[in-house]
């Protein structure tokens, strides 16, 4: 019995030494040689953190369609092999995706530039990854955001107040048909109004102003804008065959109002013999959101 117990004790000791079980207060896992062999991924991750690239952008706010330069600053460029620019988007199930946009070989360069065209709605996010020799995983930069300003049609906004006889349609101004908004031909009120809520996301408003071609000869009209109930623009007197293109700067108003007036000399309202119907062609806000 004693021999058998000794035999099992020797076997157990050998097994413990092979699998790294703590025997007598000392474990094989506590030796430096074991840590280095068993944790190459962690060691590589620490090295990669020291070589994290930096991404810079030529402008953090641009208009839709502008060209933007994104410049990657590569750490340890002599050991780097490839830089990839990625753009963030959401997948069909809302999952985050970093999609490759462009890639370039580093060729020992410390700075690698990428040129893109701003096309996103409201904001675009970018980052770069850098591949290094003898490192399995790429090194990733912090993301950088670019605000995109774009022209959003007035029709994307619903008025929170409007008088009867106004709406969206396809008015004709000086012989040209527009997607627009204004007084309807069947309305004879003589003055109309609507108010919208841009919500402090917009800095400009533009439109082609005029009176609809259905307006009578000798008629006239006028269009005015307000921002947070403060007048910001009043058009000249508008007559048939006349169009005025305007772009009005705004201080990011929460509310925006449009007032239309039939200013025909001698006219009143209620179906006068000579009338005008003021309208706006292609009205739009320059915004970063709706």
């Amino acid at each position: 019995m004693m021999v058998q117990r000794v035999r099992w004790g020797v076997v157990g000791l050998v097994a413990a030494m092979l699998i790294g079980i703590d025997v007598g207060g000392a474990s094989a896992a506590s030796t430096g040689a074991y840590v280095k062999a068993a944790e190459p991924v962690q060691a590589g991750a620490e090295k990669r953190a020291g070589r994290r690239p930096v991404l810079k952008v030529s402008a953090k706010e641009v208009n839709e369609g502008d060209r933007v330069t994104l410049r990657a600053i590569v750490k340890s460029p002599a050991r780097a092999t490839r830089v990839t620019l990625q753009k963030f988007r959401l997948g069909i199930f809302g999952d985050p995706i970093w999609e490759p946009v462009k890639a370039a070989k580093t060729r020992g360069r410390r700075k690698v530039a990428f040129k893109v065209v701003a096309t996103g709605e409201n904001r675009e996010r970018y980052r770069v990854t850098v591949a290094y020799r003898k490192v399995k995983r790429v090194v990733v930069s912090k993301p950088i955001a670019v605000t995109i300003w774009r022209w959003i049609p007035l029709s994307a906004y619903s008025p929170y107040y409007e008088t009867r006889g106004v709406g969206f349609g396809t008015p004709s101004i000086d012989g040209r048909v527009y997607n627009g908004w204004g007084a309807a031909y069947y309305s004879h009120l003589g003055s109309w109004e609507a108010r919208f809520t841009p919500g402090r996301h917009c800095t400009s408003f533009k439109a082609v102003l005029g009176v609809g071609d259905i307006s009578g000869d000798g008629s006239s009209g006028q269009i005015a804008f307000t921002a947070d109930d403060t007048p910001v623009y009043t058009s000249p007197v508008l007559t048939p065959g006349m169009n005025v293109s305007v772009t009005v700067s705004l201080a990011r108003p929460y509310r925006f109002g449009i007032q239309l007036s039939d200013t025909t000399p001698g006219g009143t309202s209620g179906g006068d013999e000579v009338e005008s119907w003021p309208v706006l062609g292609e009205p739009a806000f320059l915004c970063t959101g709706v």
Side-chain angles (χ1 to χ4, degrees), residues 26-266:
S27 169
S30 66
T31 66
Y34 182 86
V35 171
K36 291 180 180 178
E39 298 185 358
V41 174
Q42 179 62 28
E46 291 173 354
K47 290 181 180 180
R48 287 196 300 274
R51 294 199 300 266
R52 191 171 194 177
V54 176
L55 183 61
K56 294 188 175 181
V57 64
S58 57
K60 290 192 174 182
E61 293 194 12
V62 299
N63 290 333
E64 184 180 29
D66 286 353
R67 293 184 67 83
V68 181
T69 300
L70 294 151
R71 186 170 284 102
I73 301 175
V74 181
K75 306 296 179 66
S76 302
R79 300 180 61 186
T81 59
R82 193 174 188 82
V83 183
T84 301
L85 178 68
Q86 297 179 331
K87 184 177 179 180
F88 179 84
R89 70 177 179 85
L90 291 176
I92 58 175
F93 299 108
D95 49 316
I97 297 172
W98 284 99
E99 194 169 60
V101 178
K102 295 182 178 181
K105 294 181 179 180
T106 55
R107 304 183 190 279
R109 292 175 293 172
R110 181 172 174 270
K111 296 181 180 180
V112 180
F114 298 97
K115 293 186 181 296
V116 298
V117 177
T119 58
E121 292 188 3
N122 311 327
R123 193 174 77 151
E124 292 178 335
R125 293 179 66 202
Y126 293 94
R127 73 180 189 184
V128 290
T129 65
V130 179
Y132 287 91
R133 295 184 184 90
K134 299 181 180 180
V135 177
K136 291 183 179 180
R137 297 182 182 179
V138 296
V139 189
V140 184
S141 73
K142 290 182 179 180
I144 193 168
V146 180
T147 298
I148 311 296
W149 292 90
R150 60 192 177 95
W151 289 104
I152 301 176
L154 181 64
S155 57
Y157 299 82
S158 298
Y160 69 89
Y161 167 79
E162 64 180 357
T163 58
R164 293 180 295 109
V166 292
F168 294 100
T170 53
S172 177
I173 304 172
D174 191 20
R176 179 178 173 181
V177 176
Y178 297 87
N179 288 314
W181 178 91
Y185 72 93
Y186 58 80
S187 178
H188 306 281
L189 296 178
S191 64
W192 305 263
E193 182 181 7
R195 300 171 192 169
F196 300 83
T197 308
R200 305 201 186 285
H201 299 293
C202 308
T203 58
S204 296
F205 181 80
K206 71 176 182 179
V208 178
L209 311 182
V211 293
D213 287 343
I214 59 172
S215 302
D217 293 338
S219 68
S220 64
Q222 202 163 31
I223 299 174
F225 305 142
T226 60
D228 289 337
D229 300 321
T230 300
V232 293
Y233 174 82
T234 300
S235 75
V237 174
L238 305 168
T239 58
M242 178 180 178
N243 68 79
V244 177
S245 295
V246 298
T247 299
V248 180
S249 296
L250 305 172
R252 298 199 182 193
Y254 186 75
R255 295 184 178 88
F256 183 81
I258 306 174
Q259 296 82 39
L260 313 176
S261 302
D262 179 357
T263 60
T264 303

